[in-house]
Amino acid sequence: MIGIDRSTGATVDDWPQFIQRATRALSTPLGTRQKRPLYGSKLPGLLARNMTDELLILAQSEAVATFYNPANGIGEFVPSVAIASRSQSGLLLRFEGTWTNRKMTFEVLL
């Protein structure tokens, strides 16, 4: 699949394009798209709360659930590890898993 980078406008494909799609799905609140109400994640709703350890565990759970939502179109990545941690500007999610039979890792800052 070929796409356009949101920040530079350059053409992206393969792994960088998937990371962009996954980031968009993880950062879009569930139910906010008019024609695709099932698209998105519950993660943005968690960001307004205090970053307790319980919230980090809940964020990990919601992040993994986002990959298994067929409306998001990012099911080709099967996460094996999802780690949520605090950062200076919000929540940092680190994923490890299998994408098209390759072990891959990436991070998303929310």
Side-chain angles (χ1 to χ4, degrees):
M1 186 180 262
I2 297 174
I4 296 174
D5 188 284
R6 295 176 74 176
S7 30
T8 65
T11 302
V12 291
D13 61 354
D14 203 33
W15 182 243
Q17 199 270 341
F18 172 78
I19 293 173
Q20 184 171 294
R21 285 189 298 132
T23 302
R24 187 172 49 245
L26 290 163
S27 62
T28 301
L30 192 62
T32 57
R33 290 207 172 170
Q34 181 103 17
K35 294 186 178 185
R36 294 177 66 191
L38 299 178
Y39 180 86
S41 172
K42 294 180 182 177
L43 281 171
L46 300 176
L47 297 177
R49 297 167 50 187
N50 289 335
M51 287 287 175
T52 62
D53 291 339
E54 293 83 12
L55 182 76
L56 294 176
I57 292 171
L58 183 59
Q60 290 172 182
S61 171
E62 294 298 341
V64 170
T66 302
F67 288 98
Y68 290 101
N69 180 355
N72 291 331
I74 55 173
E76 66 264 22
F77 181 79
V78 179
S80 57
V81 176
I83 300 173
S85 59
R86 298 169 189 90
S87 73
Q88 291 291 345
S89 59
L91 180 68
L92 179 66
L93 294 163
R94 185 175 160 280
F95 298 100
E96 292 181 17
T98 306
W99 181 72
T100 62
N101 296 324
R102 293 183 281 180
K103 295 280 186 187
M104 305 297 271
T105 64
F106 70 100
E107 292 182 346
V108 175
L109 182 63
L110 297 175

XYZ file of all heavy atoms in Angstrom:
852
model
N 0.845 -1.172 0.000
C 0.000 0.000 0.000
C 0.893 1.239 0.000
O 1.872 1.317 0.720
C -0.889 -0.029 1.244
C -1.898 1.072 1.277
S -2.918 0.995 2.760
C -4.342 0.176 2.110
N 0.539 2.212 -0.811
C 1.308 3.444 -0.916
C 0.486 4.572 -0.305
O -0.717 4.654 -0.482
C 1.657 3.762 -2.377
C 2.557 2.660 -2.943
C 2.328 5.105 -2.504
C 2.852 2.802 -4.405
N 1.153 5.451 0.426
C 0.477 6.577 1.050
C 1.328 7.826 0.987
O 2.398 7.840 0.379
N 0.836 8.863 1.634
C 1.547 10.141 1.684
C 1.870 10.454 3.136
O 1.009 10.357 4.011
C 0.685 11.266 1.078
C 0.447 10.982 -0.405
C 1.334 12.619 1.264
C -0.505 11.940 -1.066
N 3.119 10.817 3.397
C 3.540 11.186 4.740
C 2.792 12.442 5.185
O 2.731 13.425 4.466
C 5.041 11.434 4.768
C 5.545 11.629 6.178
O 5.319 12.727 6.726
O 6.154 10.700 6.715
N 2.224 12.406 6.382
C 1.414 13.519 6.871
C 2.216 14.777 7.126
O 1.712 15.879 7.025
C 0.711 13.112 8.166
C -0.296 12.014 7.962
C -0.883 11.587 9.248
N -1.820 12.605 9.717
C -2.549 12.479 10.796
N -2.440 11.415 11.538
N -3.382 13.426 11.154
N 3.484 14.649 7.474
C 4.257 15.836 7.798
C 5.069 16.381 6.627
O 5.226 17.586 6.507
C 5.185 15.590 8.980
O 5.602 14.279 9.072
N 5.553 15.508 5.745
C 6.396 15.992 4.658
C 5.714 15.994 3.296
O 6.156 16.688 2.397
C 7.671 15.143 4.547
O 7.300 13.806 4.170
C 8.445 15.136 5.840
N 4.678 15.188 3.126
C 4.014 15.079 1.831
C 4.703 14.112 0.889
O 4.267 13.921 -0.242
N 5.774 13.483 1.345
C 6.506 12.523 0.519
C 5.732 11.203 0.447
O 4.933 10.877 1.321
C 7.890 12.278 1.102
N 5.996 10.444 -0.589
C 5.372 9.137 -0.754
C 6.015 8.144 0.214
O 7.240 8.092 0.332
C 5.562 8.634 -2.198
O 5.000 9.592 -3.084
C 4.881 7.303 -2.400
N 5.184 7.389 0.906
C 5.679 6.353 1.819
C 4.977 5.046 1.494
O 3.836 5.031 1.047
C 5.462 6.714 3.306
C 6.327 7.847 3.734
C 4.021 6.998 3.610
N 5.668 3.956 1.711
C 5.057 2.646 1.546
C 5.693 1.673 2.525
O 6.560 2.038 3.310
C 5.195 2.149 0.111
C 6.636 1.990 -0.334
O 7.544 2.368 0.420
O 6.847 1.483 -1.448
N 5.225 0.466 2.520
C 5.744 -0.606 3.346
C 5.637 -0.264 4.835
O 4.587 0.175 5.296
C 7.179 -0.930 2.917
C 7.601 -2.340 3.297
O 6.727 -3.224 3.286
O 8.776 -2.557 3.616
N 6.697 -0.442 5.592
C 6.670 -0.273 7.046
C 6.384 1.160 7.494
O 5.561 1.374 8.379
C 7.970 -0.808 7.642
C 8.047 -0.724 9.123
C 8.944 0.002 9.839
C 7.207 -1.367 10.082
N 8.706 -0.153 11.179
C 7.650 -0.993 11.362
C 6.117 -2.219 9.994
C 7.049 -1.435 12.538
C 5.519 -2.662 11.166
C 5.986 -2.269 12.408
N 7.021 2.198 6.914
C 6.704 3.565 7.349
C 5.228 3.925 7.136
O 4.627 4.632 7.942
C 7.605 4.451 6.486
C 8.721 3.575 6.082
C 8.147 2.196 5.967
N 4.642 3.410 6.079
C 3.237 3.688 5.821
C 2.362 2.993 6.855
O 1.376 3.548 7.325
C 2.876 3.245 4.400
C 1.624 3.873 3.850
C 0.381 3.070 4.165
O 0.441 1.904 4.487
N -0.746 3.724 4.074
N 2.732 1.774 7.249
C 1.965 1.079 8.283
C 2.055 1.825 9.610
O 1.043 1.968 10.310
C 2.455 -0.362 8.472
C 1.805 -0.999 9.654
C 0.513 -1.460 9.573
C 2.453 -1.056 10.878
C -0.117 -1.994 10.684
C 1.843 -1.586 11.983
C 0.545 -2.061 11.887
N 3.242 2.294 9.979
C 3.398 3.028 11.241
C 2.504 4.265 11.243
O 1.859 4.583 12.245
C 4.872 3.407 11.482
C 5.704 2.153 11.717
C 5.003 4.365 12.659
C 7.188 2.413 11.799
N 2.424 4.934 10.122
C 1.564 6.112 10.031
C 0.093 5.738 10.207
O -0.651 6.410 10.909
C 1.785 6.790 8.684
C 1.014 8.070 8.526
C 1.420 8.812 7.278
O 2.544 9.266 7.197
N 0.522 8.921 6.338
N -0.341 4.631 9.575
C -1.734 4.185 9.733
C -2.027 3.780 11.168
O -3.083 4.095 11.718
C -2.029 3.010 8.799
C -2.189 3.405 7.362
C -2.692 2.252 6.503
N -1.754 1.140 6.481
C -2.090 -0.134 6.674
N -3.330 -0.477 6.903
N -1.178 -1.088 6.634
N -1.083 3.072 11.803
C -1.281 2.638 13.186
C -1.335 3.830 14.130
O -2.188 3.881 15.029
C -0.168 1.678 13.598
N -0.461 4.798 13.924
C -0.456 6.004 14.757
C -1.776 6.750 14.639
O -2.343 7.209 15.629
C 0.714 6.922 14.373
O 1.934 6.186 14.530
C 0.752 8.165 15.233
N -2.290 6.850 13.417
C -3.557 7.545 13.209
C -4.700 6.802 13.901
O -5.555 7.414 14.528
C -3.827 7.706 11.712
C -5.034 8.553 11.410
C -5.189 8.883 9.934
N -5.085 7.715 9.067
C -4.117 7.513 8.170
N -3.156 8.385 8.034
N -4.103 6.429 7.424
N -4.724 5.473 13.813
C -5.783 4.693 14.464
C -5.691 4.803 15.986
O -6.712 4.926 16.664
C -5.701 3.232 14.038
N -4.471 4.777 16.525
C -4.291 4.856 17.974
C -4.626 6.236 18.524
O -5.053 6.365 19.671
C -2.854 4.488 18.349
C -2.482 3.021 18.175
C -0.974 2.853 18.166
C -3.123 2.176 19.256
N -4.453 7.273 17.725
C -4.669 8.634 18.224
C -6.043 9.210 17.888
O -6.374 10.304 18.326
C -3.581 9.565 17.690
O -3.627 9.622 16.283
N -6.845 8.489 17.135
C -8.194 8.951 16.796
C -9.186 8.425 17.827
O -9.276 7.218 18.036
C -8.606 8.446 15.398
O -7.671 8.935 14.440
C -10.004 8.911 15.036
N -9.951 9.293 18.477
C -10.957 8.817 19.436
C -12.024 7.978 18.742
O -12.485 8.307 17.648
C -11.562 10.102 20.005
C -10.548 11.155 19.742
C -9.857 10.752 18.466
N -12.393 6.899 19.373
C -13.402 5.988 18.846
C -14.733 6.719 18.681
O -15.181 7.428 19.576
C -13.563 4.802 19.801
C -14.350 3.611 19.318
C -13.682 2.976 18.103
C -14.459 2.578 20.423
N -15.336 6.591 17.509
C -16.640 7.172 17.255
C -16.635 8.596 16.737
O -17.698 9.186 16.558
N -15.471 9.175 16.466
C -15.434 10.568 16.018
C -15.511 10.728 14.506
O -15.751 11.831 14.030
C -14.158 11.279 16.511
O -13.013 10.555 16.049
C -14.147 11.379 18.019
N -15.324 9.665 13.765
C -15.424 9.766 12.304
C -16.868 9.490 11.895
O -17.434 8.453 12.231
C -14.491 8.775 11.628
C -13.051 9.169 11.800
C -12.252 8.646 10.667
N -10.905 9.182 10.722
C -9.941 8.739 9.966
N -10.163 7.785 9.099
N -8.746 9.268 10.055
N -17.439 10.406 11.150
C -18.854 10.337 10.780
C -19.180 9.077 9.975
O -20.134 8.374 10.291
C -19.219 11.572 9.957
C -20.659 11.616 9.539
C -21.464 12.557 10.373
O -20.910 13.389 11.047
N -22.753 12.425 10.340
N -18.418 8.788 8.952
C -18.735 7.659 8.083
C -18.100 6.349 8.534
O -18.412 5.296 7.974
C -18.317 7.971 6.645
C -19.143 9.097 6.058
C -18.843 9.302 4.607
C -19.730 10.415 4.077
N -19.594 10.597 2.656
N -17.209 6.415 9.513
C -16.572 5.208 10.054
C -16.593 5.280 11.576
O -15.571 5.469 12.222
C -15.137 5.104 9.544
C -15.070 4.886 8.043
C -13.655 4.848 7.552
N -12.945 3.681 8.072
C -11.635 3.519 7.960
N -10.897 4.417 7.381
N -11.067 2.446 8.450
N -17.767 5.118 12.197
C -17.876 5.299 13.647
C -17.118 4.262 14.477
O -16.809 4.525 15.636
C -19.375 5.218 13.909
C -19.924 4.459 12.758
C -19.053 4.781 11.585
N -16.780 3.118 13.897
C -16.044 2.095 14.645
C -14.531 2.271 14.557
O -13.777 1.530 15.175
C -16.437 0.701 14.149
C -17.911 0.346 14.323
C -18.191 -1.037 13.747
C -18.312 0.409 15.781
N -14.074 3.250 13.774
C -12.647 3.498 13.592
C -12.092 4.249 14.797
O -12.715 5.153 15.326
C -12.415 4.341 12.327
C -10.961 4.642 12.058
C -10.172 3.742 11.356
C -10.377 5.810 12.518
C -8.842 4.015 11.103
C -9.048 6.089 12.272
C -8.285 5.187 11.577
O -6.960 5.459 11.344
N -10.908 3.881 15.223
C -10.234 4.613 16.289
C -9.933 3.765 17.500
O -9.926 2.540 17.448
N -9.674 4.456 18.593
C -9.230 3.814 19.821
C -9.794 4.555 21.033
O -10.163 5.721 20.938
C -7.699 3.850 19.860
O -7.208 3.403 21.088
N -9.804 3.872 22.156
C -10.215 4.509 23.412
C -9.044 5.211 24.101
O -9.220 5.845 25.130
C -10.809 3.472 24.360
C -12.107 2.880 23.853
C -12.657 1.868 24.836
C -13.927 1.236 24.329
N -14.428 0.201 25.250
N -7.849 5.119 23.533
C -6.660 5.723 24.141
C -6.748 7.233 24.329
O -6.372 7.726 25.396
C -5.422 5.400 23.311
C -4.835 4.014 23.509
C -3.764 3.754 22.473
C -4.280 3.880 24.897
N -7.207 8.015 23.354
C -7.242 9.467 23.565
C -8.079 9.891 24.772
O -7.779 10.888 25.415
C -7.848 10.003 22.259
C -7.468 8.984 21.251
C -7.561 7.670 21.981
N -9.089 9.132 25.111
C -9.904 9.439 26.284
C -9.168 9.229 27.593
O -9.545 9.800 28.625
N -8.112 8.439 27.578
C -7.341 8.178 28.794
C -6.328 9.280 29.082
O -5.846 9.399 30.207
C -6.597 6.844 28.675
C -7.439 5.589 28.464
C -6.532 4.390 28.275
C -8.381 5.370 29.613
N -5.996 10.067 28.080
C -4.906 11.029 28.223
C -5.225 12.177 29.168
O -4.318 12.830 29.661
C -4.509 11.571 26.853
C -3.966 10.519 25.891
C -3.668 11.152 24.546
C -2.738 9.849 26.454
N -6.487 12.441 29.435
C -6.855 13.551 30.312
C -6.788 13.162 31.787
O -6.967 14.008 32.652
C -8.261 14.031 29.977
N -6.506 11.901 32.057
C -6.464 11.424 33.437
C -5.037 11.409 33.971
O -4.077 11.541 33.221
C -7.078 10.026 33.498
C -8.556 10.071 33.089
C -9.173 8.739 32.816
N -8.952 7.739 33.844
C -9.315 6.474 33.699
N -9.913 6.072 32.596
N -9.096 5.604 34.651
N -4.895 11.256 35.283
C -3.567 11.164 35.893
C -2.870 9.892 35.430
O -3.487 8.839 35.333
C -3.672 11.149 37.419
C -4.072 12.480 37.975
O -3.846 13.504 37.348
N -4.675 12.474 39.153
N -1.575 9.973 35.183
C -0.797 8.845 34.676
C -0.376 7.919 35.809
O 0.793 7.870 36.199
C 0.443 9.333 33.934
C 0.173 9.935 32.616
S -0.271 8.665 31.441
C -0.665 9.704 30.062
N -1.320 7.188 36.333
C -1.017 6.210 37.374
C -0.571 4.907 36.715
O -0.709 4.722 35.504
C -2.263 5.946 38.236
O -3.291 5.393 37.398
C -2.760 7.218 38.893
N -0.061 3.990 37.519
C 0.338 2.691 36.988
C -0.865 1.928 36.437
O -0.756 1.230 35.431
C 1.025 1.863 38.075
C 2.383 2.428 38.447
O 2.966 3.172 37.633
O 2.863 2.117 39.554
N -2.010 2.077 37.084
C -3.224 1.420 36.611
C -3.624 1.949 35.236
O -4.075 1.191 34.376
C -4.381 1.611 37.596
C -4.195 0.908 38.921
C -3.351 1.693 39.913
O -3.076 2.900 39.678
O -2.946 1.102 40.921
N -3.458 3.249 35.032
C -3.789 3.841 33.742
C -2.854 3.326 32.654
O -3.279 3.090 31.517
C -3.726 5.365 33.809
C -4.119 6.052 32.509
C -5.623 6.013 32.331
C -3.613 7.454 32.475
N -1.595 3.132 32.982
C -0.649 2.601 31.998
C -1.038 1.190 31.573
O -0.956 0.845 30.389
C 0.777 2.626 32.553
C 1.375 4.004 32.803
C 2.747 3.866 33.431
C 1.438 4.804 31.523
N -1.475 0.375 32.523
C -1.916 -0.982 32.195
C -3.169 -0.932 31.318
O -3.291 -1.668 30.339
C -2.172 -1.792 33.477
C -0.852 -2.033 34.188
C -2.864 -3.110 33.165
C -0.986 -2.620 35.572
N -4.095 -0.046 31.645
C -5.299 0.119 30.842
C -4.948 0.610 29.439
O -5.526 0.156 28.443
C -6.261 1.097 31.529
C -7.600 1.327 30.865
C -8.381 0.029 30.742
C -8.403 2.335 31.669
N -3.988 1.514 29.327
C -3.554 2.023 28.020
C -2.956 0.900 27.173
O -3.202 0.833 25.959
C -2.550 3.152 28.204
N -2.177 0.029 27.777
C -1.611 -1.108 27.054
C -2.724 -1.995 26.507
O -2.686 -2.418 25.352
C -0.695 -1.925 27.964
C 0.574 -1.236 28.324
C 1.387 -1.955 29.378
O 2.396 -1.449 29.747
N 0.969 -3.087 29.890
N -3.721 -2.246 27.330
C -4.847 -3.088 26.919
C -5.620 -2.460 25.761
O -5.940 -3.129 24.773
C -5.772 -3.311 28.113
O -6.954 -3.939 27.722
N -5.916 -1.177 25.859
C -6.654 -0.488 24.798
C -5.838 -0.398 23.517
O -6.384 -0.470 22.414
C -7.078 0.909 25.255
C -8.094 0.915 26.380
C -9.409 0.253 26.022
O -9.711 0.085 24.819
O -10.144 -0.100 26.947
N -4.525 -0.246 23.647
C -3.660 -0.179 22.466
C -3.679 -1.499 21.707
O -3.804 -1.517 20.472
C -2.244 0.184 22.877
N -3.574 -2.593 22.420
C -3.612 -3.904 21.765
C -4.980 -4.145 21.142
O -5.089 -4.655 20.024
C -3.236 -5.021 22.769
C -3.499 -6.387 22.173
C -1.782 -4.894 23.180
N -6.040 -3.737 21.822
C -7.392 -3.900 21.277
C -7.564 -3.131 19.975
O -8.318 -3.553 19.091
C -8.427 -3.447 22.301
N -6.873 -2.029 19.815
C -6.961 -1.237 18.594
C -6.483 -2.033 17.382
O -7.039 -1.914 16.293
C -6.132 0.055 18.743
O -6.615 0.770 19.871
C -6.239 0.935 17.521
N -5.473 -2.863 17.566
C -4.970 -3.674 16.450
C -5.947 -4.768 16.052
O -5.935 -5.224 14.914
C -3.611 -4.296 16.802
C -2.507 -3.291 16.824
C -2.073 -2.734 18.007
C -1.912 -2.882 15.643
C -1.067 -1.799 18.029
C -0.897 -1.934 15.646
C -0.476 -1.404 16.840
N -6.801 -5.211 16.973
C -7.752 -6.275 16.684
C -9.116 -5.758 16.248
O -10.010 -6.542 16.000
C -7.883 -7.193 17.899
C -6.622 -7.996 18.115
C -5.698 -7.645 19.084
C -6.339 -9.095 17.313
C -4.530 -8.355 19.269
C -5.179 -9.822 17.484
C -4.290 -9.449 18.463
O -3.128 -10.174 18.626
N -9.266 -4.441 16.131
C -10.499 -3.851 15.621
C -10.416 -3.827 14.093
O -9.613 -3.092 13.533
C -10.660 -2.429 16.170
C -11.910 -1.744 15.682
O -12.645 -2.262 14.855
N -12.147 -0.556 16.199
N -11.245 -4.619 13.390
C -11.131 -4.681 11.931
C -11.406 -3.348 11.232
O -10.914 -3.112 10.131
C -12.154 -5.730 11.515
C -12.849 -6.178 12.732
C -12.241 -5.516 13.916
N -12.159 -2.454 11.851
C -12.461 -1.161 11.234
C -11.220 -0.296 11.101
O -11.186 0.612 10.268
C -13.516 -0.427 12.064
N -10.173 -0.565 11.895
C -8.953 0.238 11.839
C -8.039 -0.138 10.683
O -7.196 0.660 10.283
C -8.192 0.135 13.158
C -8.923 0.812 14.283
O -9.655 1.764 14.070
N -8.743 0.309 15.493
N -8.167 -1.338 10.169
C -7.352 -1.747 9.025
C -5.882 -1.927 9.325
O -5.049 -1.778 8.437
N -5.535 -2.229 10.562
C -4.129 -2.427 10.922
C -3.904 -3.820 11.507
O -2.962 -4.059 12.252
C -3.633 -1.341 11.904
C -4.520 -1.263 13.146
C -3.542 0.005 11.214
C -4.005 -0.339 14.224
N -4.758 -4.753 11.133
C -4.704 -6.103 11.670
C -3.556 -6.949 11.173
O -3.331 -8.042 11.685
N -2.797 -6.460 10.178
C -1.671 -7.257 9.692
C -0.507 -7.271 10.678
O 0.412 -8.057 10.538
C -1.194 -6.785 8.314
C -0.599 -5.415 8.276
C -1.592 -4.335 7.876
O -2.803 -4.524 8.013
O -1.140 -3.288 7.429
N -0.537 -6.392 11.672
C 0.473 -6.397 12.740
C -0.118 -7.142 13.929
O -1.197 -6.803 14.414
C 0.826 -4.970 13.142
C 1.876 -4.885 14.214
C 3.210 -5.042 13.907
C 1.526 -4.638 15.534
C 4.181 -4.955 14.888
C 2.494 -4.553 16.522
C 3.822 -4.716 16.193
N 0.573 -8.166 14.389
C 0.130 -8.934 15.549
C 1.069 -8.599 16.701
O 2.221 -9.029 16.722
C 0.141 -10.446 15.257
C -0.306 -11.225 16.479
C -0.724 -10.761 14.053
N 0.594 -7.793 17.667
C 1.483 -7.379 18.761
C 1.765 -8.527 19.723
O 0.876 -9.283 20.081
C 0.702 -6.259 19.446
C -0.714 -6.477 19.077
C -0.728 -7.197 17.766
N 3.030 -8.652 20.114
C 3.406 -9.615 21.144
C 3.767 -8.894 22.437
O 3.643 -9.451 23.516
C 4.565 -10.484 20.676
O 5.671 -9.696 20.326
N 4.222 -7.638 22.323
C 4.564 -6.824 23.481
C 4.025 -5.417 23.255
O 4.200 -4.845 22.190
C 6.103 -6.754 23.686
C 6.457 -5.821 24.828
C 6.687 -8.123 23.919
N 3.362 -4.883 24.271
C 2.909 -3.491 24.255
C 3.268 -2.894 25.606
O 2.807 -3.377 26.638
C 1.411 -3.396 24.015
N 4.101 -1.873 25.593
C 4.552 -1.248 26.836
C 4.175 0.229 26.816
O 4.529 0.943 25.883
C 6.077 -1.399 27.018
C 6.448 -2.875 27.069
C 6.544 -0.669 28.274
C 7.924 -3.141 27.070
N 3.448 0.651 27.817
C 3.074 2.056 27.957
C 3.943 2.669 29.048
O 4.149 2.067 30.109
C 1.601 2.187 28.322
N 4.445 3.864 28.787
C 5.259 4.556 29.785
C 4.977 6.050 29.722
O 4.474 6.557 28.722
C 6.747 4.276 29.568
O 7.142 4.693 28.292
N 5.329 6.725 30.792
C 5.156 8.176 30.852
C 6.286 8.846 30.082
O 7.416 8.367 30.081
C 5.198 8.645 32.304
C 4.097 8.082 33.153
C 4.364 8.378 34.642
N 3.442 7.677 35.485
C 3.640 6.459 35.986
N 4.760 5.816 35.716
N 2.727 5.882 36.743
N 5.966 9.963 29.448
C 7.004 10.768 28.798
C 6.760 12.224 29.160
O 5.761 12.562 29.784
C 6.984 10.562 27.282
O 5.868 11.199 26.721
N 7.659 13.090 28.748
C 7.528 14.510 29.067
C 6.267 15.114 28.474
O 5.683 16.019 29.044
C 8.749 15.277 28.537
C 10.023 14.961 29.258
C 10.029 15.493 30.681
O 9.221 16.325 31.061
N 10.948 14.984 31.485
N 5.853 14.614 27.311
C 4.706 15.222 26.629
C 3.490 14.320 26.543
O 2.599 14.565 25.743
C 5.126 15.664 25.229
O 5.588 14.552 24.504
N 3.440 13.257 27.324
C 2.242 12.404 27.300
C 2.568 10.946 27.530
O 3.364 10.587 28.386
N 1.968 10.129 26.713
C 2.052 8.680 26.850
C 2.870 8.112 25.692
O 2.619 8.430 24.525
C 0.631 8.103 26.825
C 0.463 6.606 26.946
C 0.874 6.142 28.339
C -0.978 6.234 26.690
N 3.852 7.280 26.006
C 4.675 6.642 24.995
C 4.322 5.161 24.951
O 4.379 4.478 25.981
C 6.163 6.819 25.311
C 7.131 6.171 24.332
C 7.048 6.855 22.969
C 8.539 6.213 24.872
N 3.938 4.682 23.777
C 3.608 3.271 23.587
C 4.675 2.632 22.713
O 5.005 3.147 21.652
C 2.246 3.132 22.911
C 1.062 3.594 23.724
C -0.144 3.791 22.841
C 0.761 2.593 24.811
N 5.204 1.518 23.165
C 6.218 0.785 22.408
C 5.645 -0.587 22.076
O 5.156 -1.286 22.966
C 7.487 0.635 23.225
C 8.616 -0.005 22.482
C 9.880 0.010 23.351
N 10.821 -0.969 22.908
C 10.777 -2.270 23.179
N 9.815 -2.754 23.930
N 11.683 -3.087 22.724
N 5.692 -0.947 20.807
C 5.123 -2.208 20.348
C 6.190 -3.089 19.728
O 7.077 -2.599 19.031
C 4.046 -1.961 19.275
C 2.881 -1.178 19.767
C 2.789 0.171 19.508
C 1.876 -1.779 20.499
C 1.715 0.914 19.952
C 0.794 -1.054 20.955
C 0.719 0.302 20.679
N 6.069 -4.383 19.980
C 6.852 -5.402 19.298
C 5.865 -6.425 18.796
O 4.866 -6.704 19.447
C 7.840 -6.081 20.246
C 8.945 -5.215 20.738
C 9.897 -5.971 21.657
O 9.886 -7.219 21.652
O 10.638 -5.303 22.373
N 6.137 -6.950 17.622
C 5.230 -7.953 17.098
C 5.642 -8.409 15.714
O 6.746 -8.120 15.236
N 4.717 -9.098 15.067
C 4.968 -9.662 13.753
C 4.161 -8.908 12.714
O 2.953 -8.728 12.871
C 4.578 -11.154 13.736
O 5.251 -11.814 14.804
C 4.951 -11.797 12.424
N 4.839 -8.477 11.671
C 4.201 -7.801 10.548
C 4.694 -8.462 9.271
O 5.904 -8.461 9.001
C 4.552 -6.320 10.567
C 3.946 -5.517 9.474
C 2.632 -5.150 9.343
C 4.625 -4.991 8.338
N 2.460 -4.418 8.206
C 3.674 -4.303 7.564
C 5.925 -5.015 7.897
C 3.992 -3.662 6.381
C 6.253 -4.378 6.722
C 5.283 -3.707 5.979
N 3.801 -9.034 8.503
C 4.121 -9.776 7.274
C 5.312 -10.722 7.492
O 6.290 -10.692 6.749
C 4.385 -8.840 6.072
O 5.512 -8.011 6.361
C 3.182 -7.973 5.768
N 5.190 -11.533 8.518
C 6.180 -12.564 8.868
C 7.546 -12.006 9.230
O 8.564 -12.679 9.089
C 6.321 -13.594 7.739
C 5.046 -14.360 7.538
O 4.330 -14.655 8.495
N 4.735 -14.681 6.300
N 7.609 -10.762 9.701
C 8.859 -10.160 10.163
C 8.652 -9.600 11.557
O 7.610 -9.026 11.854
C 9.296 -9.018 9.236
C 9.682 -9.471 7.853
C 10.161 -8.314 7.033
N 8.988 -7.563 6.546
C 9.053 -6.492 5.803
N 10.210 -5.989 5.463
N 7.957 -5.890 5.381
N 9.643 -9.757 12.413
C 9.597 -9.164 13.746
C 9.904 -7.684 13.629
O 10.945 -7.306 13.083
C 10.619 -9.826 14.679
C 10.346 -11.276 14.961
C 9.294 -11.400 16.005
C 9.131 -12.872 16.379
N 8.045 -13.081 17.256
N 8.998 -6.841 14.125
C 9.159 -5.400 13.986
C 8.857 -4.725 15.322
O 8.118 -5.263 16.141
C 8.211 -4.850 12.925
C 8.341 -5.516 11.564
S 9.925 -5.299 10.816
C 9.691 -3.799 9.940
N 9.423 -3.536 15.519
C 9.134 -2.717 16.689
C 8.897 -1.288 16.243
O 9.462 -0.844 15.244
C 10.286 -2.742 17.715
O 11.427 -2.153 17.124
C 10.597 -4.135 18.191
N 8.056 -0.571 16.988
C 7.858 0.849 16.742
C 7.284 1.502 17.972
O 6.796 0.826 18.880
C 6.982 1.107 15.501
C 5.529 0.729 15.636
C 4.579 1.712 15.896
C 5.119 -0.567 15.485
C 3.236 1.375 16.009
C 3.787 -0.912 15.581
C 2.838 0.074 15.845
N 7.362 2.827 18.016
C 6.862 3.607 19.141
C 5.875 4.648 18.651
O 6.020 5.168 17.543
C 8.005 4.309 19.857
C 8.941 3.375 20.571
C 10.054 4.107 21.312
O 10.250 5.310 21.045
O 10.697 3.469 22.140
N 4.896 4.941 19.505
C 3.898 5.976 19.217
C 3.818 6.878 20.429
O 3.672 6.409 21.556
C 2.506 5.348 18.940
C 1.463 6.418 18.767
C 2.565 4.442 17.725
N 3.923 8.171 20.204
C 3.804 9.156 21.269
C 2.430 9.805 21.190
O 2.073 10.365 20.164
C 4.900 10.222 21.151
C 4.921 11.290 22.212
C 5.197 10.684 23.580
C 5.976 12.321 21.875
N 1.666 9.691 22.262
C 0.326 10.288 22.308
C 0.297 11.399 23.317
O 0.920 11.407 24.308
C -0.731 9.252 22.674
C -0.908 8.102 21.699
C -1.899 7.100 22.261
C -1.402 8.600 20.370
